[in-house]
């Protein structure tokens, strides 16, 4: 009572409303800051999204969970792993930093910094990133990639490589399903197959 805090051990379950559930082996809750620190085998469930980590802090005031010792976020389409990440159950927006990897059945995206929305399925690239699929390799440092439609809008001198063809431009548009790409401003196109 004096510190407004409590600890829970083994089979911890925390509920926020009727859509957010957090499980773990240990919980320390500070009633004044309203921050819950969950450790070991932590699982956050929010509708069709699951977050797995061993160290999760959940801020009830900001309605934000964040991990700092590695974690995995999963939804119906994608599996994202990173060293550090945060997830907002209210906005469905997540941010990932350091060794970020997004695995989709059709491609793998690796990055240093990435935002991802579990509703729109849009990944926002905020640092050096690569998107690799069966035939394509994309490098960009800034842009958006819709993981549902396969459309990318990339900025800051991005590069698209496809079967010996390499297209570079200040900005690129690419539709993976149609196999169609456009480059804008300072465009360079190399075709090593046809020389």
């Amino acid at each position: 009572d004096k510190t407004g805090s409590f600890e829970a051990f083994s089979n911890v379950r925390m509920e926020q409303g009727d859509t957010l559930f957090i499980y773990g082996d240990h919980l320390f809750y500070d009633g004044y800051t309203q921050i819950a620190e969950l450790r070991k085998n932590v699982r956050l469930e929010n509708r069709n999204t699951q977050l797995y980590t061993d160290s999760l802090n959940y801020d009830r005031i900001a309605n934000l969970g964040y991990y700092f010792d590695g974690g995995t976020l999963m939804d119906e389409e994608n599996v994202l792993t990173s060293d550090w990440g945060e997830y907002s159950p209210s906005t469905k927006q997540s941010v990932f930093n350091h060794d970020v990897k997004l695995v989709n059945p059709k491609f793998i995206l690796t990055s240093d910094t990435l935002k991802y929305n579990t509703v729109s399925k849009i990944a926002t690239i905020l640092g050096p990133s690569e998107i690799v699929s069966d035939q394509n390799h994309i490098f960009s440092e800034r842009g958006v990639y819709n993981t549902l439609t396969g459309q990318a809008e990339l900025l800051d001198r991005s590069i698209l490589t496809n079967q010996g063809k390499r297209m570079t431009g200040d900005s690129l548009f690419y539709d993976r399903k149609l196999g169609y790409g456009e480059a804008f401003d300072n465009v360079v196109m190399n075709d090593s197959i046809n020389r």
Side-chain angles (χ1 to χ4, degrees):
D1 286 346
K2 290 179 182 177
T3 62
S5 304
F6 71 85
E7 281 187 272
F9 305 91
S10 188
N11 295 314
V12 177
R13 176 181 165 129
M14 180 178 147
E15 296 180 19
Q16 179 102 352
D18 61 352
T19 59
L20 179 66
F21 304 93
I22 307 175
Y23 307 90
D25 290 348
H26 179 258
L27 171 125
F28 173 78
Y29 180 74
D30 186 326
Y32 293 121
T33 62
Q34 295 190 36
I35 293 177
E37 298 175 359
L38 293 106
R39 301 294 181 263
K40 300 290 183 200
N41 301 312
V42 180
R43 184 176 86 245
L44 180 150
E45 293 181 359
N46 182 229
R47 298 195 187 274
N48 296 326
T49 302
Q50 295 87 37
L51 171 63
Y52 299 91
T53 185
D54 273 334
S55 298
L56 178 78
N57 288 358
Y58 186 77
D59 185 331
R60 291 187 60 230
I61 295 171
N63 195 22
L64 184 72
Y66 55 95
Y67 61 86
F68 41 84
D69 198 20
T72 302
L73 180 85
M74 302 171 70
D75 64 15
E76 309 93 334
E77 293 289 321
N78 303 297
V79 177
L80 292 106
T81 56
S82 68
D83 290 345
W84 182 93
E86 66 179 41
Y87 174 70
S88 170
S90 57
T91 64
K92 311 300 188 239
Q93 188 68 41
S94 48
V95 179
F96 304 93
N97 292 99
H98 310 297
D99 292 326
V100 181
K101 187 174 185 180
L102 186 159
V103 178
N104 178 288
K106 299 179 181 95
F107 67 90
I108 295 174
L109 188 157
T110 56
S111 182
D112 178 61
T113 305
L114 186 75
K115 282 186 178 180
Y116 177 72
N117 189 290
T118 59
V119 173
S120 67
K121 311 296 185 205
I122 292 176
T124 303
I125 297 165
L126 299 169
S129 304
E130 295 185 34
I131 305 168
V132 179
S133 62
D134 290 343
Q135 298 177 356
N136 301 315
H137 181 272
I138 296 172
F139 174 82
S140 183
E141 294 191 15
R142 191 164 62 98
V144 293
Y145 186 80
N146 187 318
T147 65
L148 285 178
T149 65
Q151 293 181 338
E153 294 178 33
L154 308 167
L155 309 169
D156 295 348
R157 206 80 189 131
S158 298
I159 303 166
L160 167 65
T161 306
N162 176 298
Q163 297 177 338
K165 299 175 193 77
R166 179 180 167 120
M167 182 169 57
T168 306
D170 287 352
S171 62
L172 295 178
F173 171 80
Y174 182 69
D175 188 314
R176 182 182 44 77
K177 288 182 181 175
L178 298 177
Y180 170 79
E182 282 186 88
F184 303 91
D185 295 324
N186 299 309
V187 176
V188 178
M189 178 74 181
N190 295 317
D191 188 338
S192 61
I193 293 173
N194 295 309
R195 290 183 268 160

